[in-house]
Amino acid sequence: MKIGIFDSGIGGLSVLHEAYHQLPGQEYIFYADTEHVPYGLKTKEQILGYAIEITEFLIKQGVDVIVIACNTATSVAVKELRKRYSLPILGMEPAVKPAVEGTDKKRIMVIATPVTIKEDKLKNLLHRVDEDHRVDLLPMPRLVEFAEREEFESAQVRDYINSQFSEYDKDDYSALVLGCTHFNYFKPLYKEYFGDDTLLIDGNFGTIRHLADVSGILLSDDPDRVVYFDEYHNILCDTKYFFSGREINDEKTLEHLKRLHNRLEEVRKID
Ligand code: DGL
């Protein structure tokens, strides 16, 4: 099965990374729209335009199914893409449902991009599942910039995260929902801030499970086998990587991708 996965940038790599764990042995095309990142600060028209261009690119690459590994692009474009193209197109939305169902009484914080927070898709989801009005929404657009710069633990990131959360009482929260795929890289910092009692919930496993259902592929029976990239492990792992249409073959960018996968491996089990 040839699976296309796209995002505005390197956030979507966290979805591909989970796919390596759960669905090894498939063929992947990963597309990061690095020329247009961040989507979270663009207009709806711009985001839809990028999503159409990428979908057509992936279809030309012969993919059987597409995963929009981006909450922002999903909220703006998934409906229109499904109208235009006949292959299965899976989207992502903040994992509010499992957060509400899996926790008791205390509040839930959803962090996402400004576009995801403004769009009707999330509002409709909250309307359906947040009956007790326990969910707070907080935009964190600068985390996308930090992630793209591979800046995961600097004093600036820490200051930014702490200042964004500072208006909320951390003891009120039972869960933090990571509603943007770029936000996975910072899991240790949320833990530092909220402590162990606040669950971190991302949508990656749910998305891959859904992908397995839709495409009839069985999930691995050894999903925690380490996915680690060094000179002995080929980064391409049956994957072609594209940055805004340009195939990645150069050593420097492959090293960058390896470091990102290794970071994702380190943070994957933090919840
Ligand atoms: N990674 C994306 C998401 O899941 C969007 C980040 C951005 O480009 O602003 O929402």
Side-chain angles (χ1 to χ4, degrees), residues 106-109 136 168-175 198:
K106 282 170 90 178
R107 302 198 64 74
I108 291 158
M109 170 103 67
D136 295 315
Y168 302 85
D169 182 345
K170 61 181 185 331
D171 296 328
D172 288 346
Y173 290 88
S174 52
T198 305

Side-chain angles (χ1 to χ4, degrees), residues 7-12 36-41 69-73 92 112-114 116 141 144 148 179-183:
D7 180 32
S8 61
I10 52 119
H36 300 120
V37 67
Y39 282 6
L41 299 172
C70 176
N71 297 260
T72 310
M92 285 187 84
T113 67
T116 302
V144 177
E148 289 294 325
C180 167
T181 49
H182 279 79
F183 295 178

Side-chain angles (χ1 to χ4, degrees), residues 39 60-61 89 99-100 104 111 118 121 123 142 146 154 158-159 163-164 166 200 202 208 247 264 269:
Y39 282 6
K60 282 203 191 106
Q61 293 287 320
I89 299 179
V100 170
D104 244 3
I111 53 175
K118 262 200 324 255
K121 196 165 194 316
K123 293 202 183 102
R142 288 201 60 206
F146 285 120
S154 68
R158 233 181 223 100
D159 286 352
S163 72
Q164 294 300 104
S166 65
L200 305 183
D202 67 67
I208 297 305
E247 186 169 355
L264 290 165
K269 297 298 272 184

Side-chain angles (χ1 to χ4, degrees), residues 10 111 140-154 156-158 160-161 165 176 178 180-193 200 263-264 267 270:
I10 52 119
I111 53 175
M140 286 224 182
R142 288 201 60 206
L143 288 185
V144 177
E145 261 176 58
F146 285 120
E148 289 294 325
R149 288 209 299 265
E150 237 183 292
E151 197 177 324
F152 303 130
E153 304 230 1
S154 68
Q156 283 93 322
V157 189
R158 233 181 223 100
Y160 176 66
I161 289 181
F165 288 144
L176 177 71
L178 312 185
C180 167
T181 49
H182 279 79
F183 295 178
N184 285 282
Y185 294 97
F186 306 97
K187 283 179 173 179
L189 274 62
Y190 315 130
K191 273 284 163 202
E192 245 174 61
Y193 185 87
L200 305 183
R263 171 74 182 179
L264 290 165
V267 302
I270 301 177

Side-chain angles (χ1 to χ4, degrees), residues 127-145:
H127 189 70
R128 285 199 308 278
V129 303
D130 183 24
E131 285 172 6
D132 303 330
H133 304 288
R134 290 201 283 140
V135 176
D136 295 315
L137 304 175
L138 181 64
M140 286 224 182
R142 288 201 60 206
L143 288 185
V144 177
E145 261 176 58

